[in-house]
Amino acid sequence: MLNLIRKDFIVMRSSLGLIPLYFVIFSIVLISNTMSAYFLVAVYTAFTTLMMSTGADVKNDNHAFLITMPMNRAQMVKSKYATALLYTGVAAIACYIFYTIVRYVKPSLGMPAYSMGQFLASIGISLVLVSIYLPLFYWLSKKGMAIINMAFMIILIGLTPFMNIGTYLMHKQNVGSINNASVALIGLGVVLLFIASYFFAKYLFNRKDL
Amino acid sequence: MNAIEVRNISKSYSQFSVDNISLDIKKGYITGLIGPNGAGKSTLIKMMLGIVRPSAGSIRMLGAEMPSEEIAIKQRVGIVSDDCFYYEHLSLKDMKKVIAPFYTKWNETKFNRYMEQFELSPTKKIKELSKGMKIKFALAIALSHEAELLIMDEPTSGLDPVFRRELLDLLADIMQDERNTILFSTHITTDLDRIADYIAFVNRGKLVFNDVKDDVLDRYAIVKGGQDLLDADIRAKFIGLRESSVGFEGLVDDRKQAQELFGSYAVLETPSLEDIMYYTAKGGPIYA
Amino acid sequence: MNIIISHASEDPIYIQIVNQIRHSILSGEMKAGDSLPSIRQLAKDLQVSVITTKRVYEELEKEKLIDSVVGKGSFVSGANMEFIREQRMKLLEEKMIEVIRESRDLNMSEEDVINHLKLLFEEEQPS
């Protein structure tokens, strides 16, 4: 499986430079608004990277090539989910670090501290999106994916205003209204969704002609 | 001993189907898989490799079941295909870096030797390669991990006749070791006329025969003669028949019978595989 | 040993090969104990199927002209030396008969022929 993950990086090598660029662009767009859900930068960056990776797979007819090598379809799906997790985790951490540095360097902006809630939300929302996206990827053909990618870009763009309204409403009410129990429950739900998504994607991919 | 055992494989598409094919590919020999375009050869091979899922039937390769044991099987299989799905923007060296780690028996020395022999530069990008060079690269890879089974799907369609001959020599070298097996699917049958040991002929999704090549060429005959020799009964004996104003030429699958029938009134010739493919594909019922 | 096959010939390829190897052995070009190329090597050299060369060697074995040892290869048989010698004698006799006929056309007597032969024997000293 490590080989497959490494393959993703070799293949995307030339475009890997774009990712920090995206990160910076997203950050500039979102950080100016202190009420905004800055943590969405992590979601955007992680998901854009994933779309680059699936895009490369489709463009190169990767699956038909990979399956001729000593691996099975389960491994291909597993590695893709693993890289999605990787992107999510790295993006979430990078986001936190970047935000904290900016806050430290420019106290005049009066940015509130990056909360644990935001950090978890960045991971949670990414995982939910991935859980819906990847089974579609393993089910649809080239043409289908083009449509799906557009649909998800629209969803991503719509996330920012959606989150803005959401966090505004939360601040208007009791900020501490979300207690630990609900967070844990939501977290568990997200993890279960991710795992279920993996098995579903495996099932879909197993039956597909490449 | 069979390198590949196909049992009752079927697959339906809207335009055509592979219909209940069973065949064995014998270990230690070169088997040519021939048939006109669209006959189902590629689909059959794709099902062997796990690219396409059959609607029915089973496949065993090198003694193990596909697809449950596909990882172990594919360690020992080398594949050269007309659809080379390599990453176009990578260099040959990088592409090898992607592929080699998957194989436990990767032999870097052998690979470099083949790259030299085929005159391939490792720094060239895949998109800069001609069709022929891509095939050569695929071959270098396929031969560098101690594969016992080499599956080649239309490997020569883009190649010039010079390299095609060199390829046949290369394959003969590989077959010096009797543990190796080659399955060579092509519609350019002249490549197989000489070196193939067995021939499997697929036409319209069905298996016409899978037999020793020498026996096939002995059994079939091309008959050439004058119009006056034909009547309804005799026409029925032909697998395919081409009549013109100056005579007829046709294929029969029983040479001895044709010799008795026509005697010295007609010319009997040994057919080429192309003749057999042509006449069978053009006319007559399928020999099951 | 040279083997030249013609794809245009009437005879099946394996017959051509059998004939040429047989001739090579009977004419003494190949001696008892000489090794023959392996089945696969021969197939590669002639660019024919391995099954063809297998049949060739099977046929030659049936005629007791060669012996195959598993793991070692195939060798010209020593066991059939008598038969081989007989064959060569036959060929020689045919040549002798031809000499006699030819000499008659040239009006040579039996004595003339024998004297001529003696002269030639002296010239043809083994080198």
Side-chain angles (χ1 to χ4, degrees), chain C residues 7-101:
Chain C
H7 291 279
S9 158
E10 280 268 324
D11 292 328
I13 306 237
Y14 102 98
I15 298 259
Q16 292 181 44
I17 304 175
V18 167
N19 286 346
Q20 290 186 43
I21 297 184
R22 189 194 293 122
H23 181 85
S24 187
I25 294 176
L26 291 180
S27 69
E29 189 189 333
M30 295 204 65
K31 315 244 184 312
D34 280 352
S35 68
L36 291 145
S38 74
I39 291 175
R40 287 179 180 266
Q41 184 61 47
L42 190 61
K44 180 185 170 204
D45 290 338
L46 292 174
Q47 293 195 304
V48 295
S49 153
V50 154
I51 296 193
T52 309
T53 53
K54 235 189 202 194
R55 286 186 178 168
V56 165
Y57 281 27
E58 275 167 10
E59 182 64 35
L60 291 171
E61 264 178 75
K62 233 185 350 170
E63 293 182 19
K64 301 232 184 348
L65 287 170
I66 66 171
D67 294 321
S68 295
V69 182
V70 176
K72 289 248 177 89
S74 301
F75 304 87
V76 177
S77 168
N80 215 1
M81 283 318 288
E82 263 310 301
F83 173 72
I84 292 176
R85 203 188 145 69
E86 264 175 45
Q87 298 295 84
R88 290 185 77 179
M89 272 306 296
K90 257 206 230 152
L91 284 173
L92 187 58
E93 244 184 58
E94 280 166 27
K95 287 188 185 165
M96 287 181 183
I97 292 175
E98 211 190 313
V99 166
I100 294 173
R101 287 209 184 109

Side-chain angles (χ1 to χ4, degrees), chain A residues 1 3-4 6-7 10-14 56-57 59-73 75 205-210, chain B residues 11 13 46 49-54 67-68 70-72 74-75 77 79 85-91 94-95 97-103:
Chain A
M1 188 175 81
N3 289 330
L4 280 169
R6 185 228 309 237
K7 155 230 138 199
I10 295 182
V11 171
M12 290 205 306
R13 196 169 47 194
S14 46
D57 282 345
K59 191 167 80 125
N60 289 304
D61 267 312
N62 244 356
H63 293 151
F65 158 65
L66 287 176
I67 203 65
T68 60
M69 291 204 285
M71 71 180 74
N72 59 26
R73 298 186 184 210
Q75 285 178 329
F205 195 45
N206 241 332
R207 298 154 41 95
K208 189 176 168 182
D209 288 338
L210 300 173
Chain B
K11 177 78 182 174
Y13 289 115
K46 285 188 173 149
L49 298 176
I51 298 177
V52 166
R53 297 292 195 213
S68 49
E70 66 179 302
I71 301 177
K74 286 190 254 180
Q75 284 286 347
V77 178
I79 295 148
F85 295 125
Y86 295 127
Y87 304 104
E88 298 282 313
H89 60 284
L90 288 185
S91 69
D94 286 335
M95 195 64 238
K97 274 203 204 141
V98 169
I99 296 175
F102 286 100
Y103 290 105

Side-chain angles (χ1 to χ4, degrees), chain A residues 92-105:
Chain A
I93 294 172
C95 199
Y96 166 70
I97 292 176
F98 187 71
Y99 184 93
T100 309
I101 290 177
V102 171
R103 178 164 169 266
Y104 206 68
V105 162

Side-chain angles (χ1 to χ4, degrees), chain B residues 130-150:
Chain B
S130 69
K131 184 69 167 316
M133 296 205 278
K134 280 190 193 154
I135 298 269
K136 290 189 198 184
F137 179 61
L139 201 51
I141 302 247
L143 298 174
S144 300
H145 61 267
E146 316 294 340
E148 297 156 43
L149 172 60
L150 194 60

Side-chain angles (χ1 to χ4, degrees), chain B residues 27-164:
Chain B
K27 196 163 192 216
Y29 297 101
I30 300 182
T31 299
L33 182 60
I34 65 171
N37 275 337
K41 301 190 305 294
S42 256
T43 309
L44 195 54
I45 292 201
K46 285 188 173 149
M47 286 195 275
M48 288 177 193
L49 298 176
I51 298 177
V52 166
R53 297 292 195 213
S55 353
S58 68
I59 296 180
R60 288 180 75 80
M61 295 221 298
L62 298 173
E65 191 84 28
M66 279 289 287
S68 49
E69 299 173 76
E70 66 179 302
I71 301 177
I73 293 175
K74 286 190 254 180
Q75 284 286 347
R76 301 151 70 194
V77 178
I79 295 148
V80 178
S81 171
D82 193 25
D83 314 313
C84 284
F85 295 125
Y86 295 127
Y87 304 104
E88 298 282 313
H89 60 284
L90 288 185
S91 69
L92 294 184
K93 198 166 69 161
D94 286 335
M95 195 64 238
K96 181 217 71 170
K97 274 203 204 141
V98 169
I99 296 175
F102 286 100
Y103 290 105
T104 51
K105 296 202 188 139
W106 181 260
N107 188 330
E108 185 71 14
T109 323
K110 259 196 191 170
F111 176 73
N112 290 329
R113 210 175 1 112
Y114 282 120
M115 290 288 278
E116 248 186 74
Q117 189 184 338
F118 299 156
E119 290 169 9
L120 295 170
S121 156
T123 49
K124 258 204 152 161
K125 292 212 193 301
I126 299 210
K127 60 177 170 223
E128 294 167 19
L129 295 180
S130 69
K131 184 69 167 316
M133 296 205 278
K134 280 190 193 154
I135 298 269
K136 290 189 198 184
F137 179 61
L139 201 51
I141 302 247
L143 298 174
S144 300
H145 61 267
E146 316 294 340
E148 297 156 43
L149 172 60
L150 194 60
I151 297 184
M152 309 180 79
D153 186 4
E154 303 280 358
T156 52
S157 10
L159 299 181
D160 65 80
V162 176
F163 183 69
R164 273 171 39 205

Side-chain angles (χ1 to χ4, degrees), chain A:
Chain A
M1 188 175 81
L2 270 173
N3 289 330
L4 280 169
I5 299 180
R6 185 228 309 237
K7 155 230 138 199
D8 267 338
F9 283 107
I10 295 182
V11 171
M12 290 205 306
R13 196 169 47 194
S14 46
S15 346
L16 276 181
L18 283 175
I19 298 169
L21 191 64
Y22 284 140
F23 185 82
V24 169
I25 294 175
F26 293 143
S27 296
I28 293 174
V29 166
L30 282 175
I31 208 165
S32 47
N33 190 344
T34 52
M35 275 286 271
S36 81
Y38 173 72
F39 63 88
L40 284 181
V41 169
V43 177
Y44 288 157
T45 311
F47 205 79
T48 312
T49 312
L50 184 64
M51 289 209 316
M52 267 169 47
S53 161
T54 55
D57 282 345
V58 168
K59 191 167 80 125
N60 289 304
D61 267 312
N62 244 356
H63 293 151
F65 158 65
L66 287 176
I67 203 65
T68 60
M69 291 204 285
M71 71 180 74
N72 59 26
R73 298 186 184 210
Q75 285 178 329
M76 287 160 66
V77 176
K78 199 192 282 187
S79 89
K80 194 58 108 210
Y81 273 79
T83 49
L85 264 179
L86 192 67
Y87 300 151
T88 302
V90 169
I93 294 172
C95 199
Y96 166 70
I97 292 176
F98 187 71
Y99 184 93
T100 309
I101 290 177
V102 171
R103 178 164 169 266
Y104 206 68
V105 162
K106 278 252 174 140
S108 52
L109 288 176
M111 291 153 58
Y114 199 83
S115 72
M116 183 46 102
Q118 287 174 310
F119 184 76
L120 290 178
S122 72
I123 294 181
I125 296 178
S126 292
L127 291 185
V128 169
L129 287 174
V130 166
S131 301
I132 304 173
Y133 182 71
L134 282 184
L136 286 169
F137 170 63
Y138 282 114
W139 180 38
L140 296 172
S141 61
K142 248 183 185 163
K143 288 201 202 118
M145 274 324 285
I147 300 173
I148 291 299
N149 278 337
M150 281 226 291
F152 269 79
M153 291 224 265
I154 295 173
I155 293 176
L156 283 181
I157 294 174
L159 265 182
T160 307
F162 182 75
M163 280 295 135
N164 276 342
I165 297 171
T167 36
Y168 177 71
L169 286 175
M170 263 171 52
H171 275 246
K172 285 211 70 185
Q173 296 183 344
N174 200 340
V175 180
S177 63
I178 298 184
N179 60 28
N180 284 341
S182 345
V183 168
L185 216 55
I186 294 176
L188 188 63
V190 168
V191 167
L192 286 177
L193 177 67
F194 189 72
I195 294 176
S197 162
Y198 162 66
F199 281 105
F200 189 46
K202 248 202 329 179
Y203 168 76
L204 288 172
F205 195 45
N206 241 332
R207 298 154 41 95
K208 189 176 168 182
D209 288 338
L210 300 173

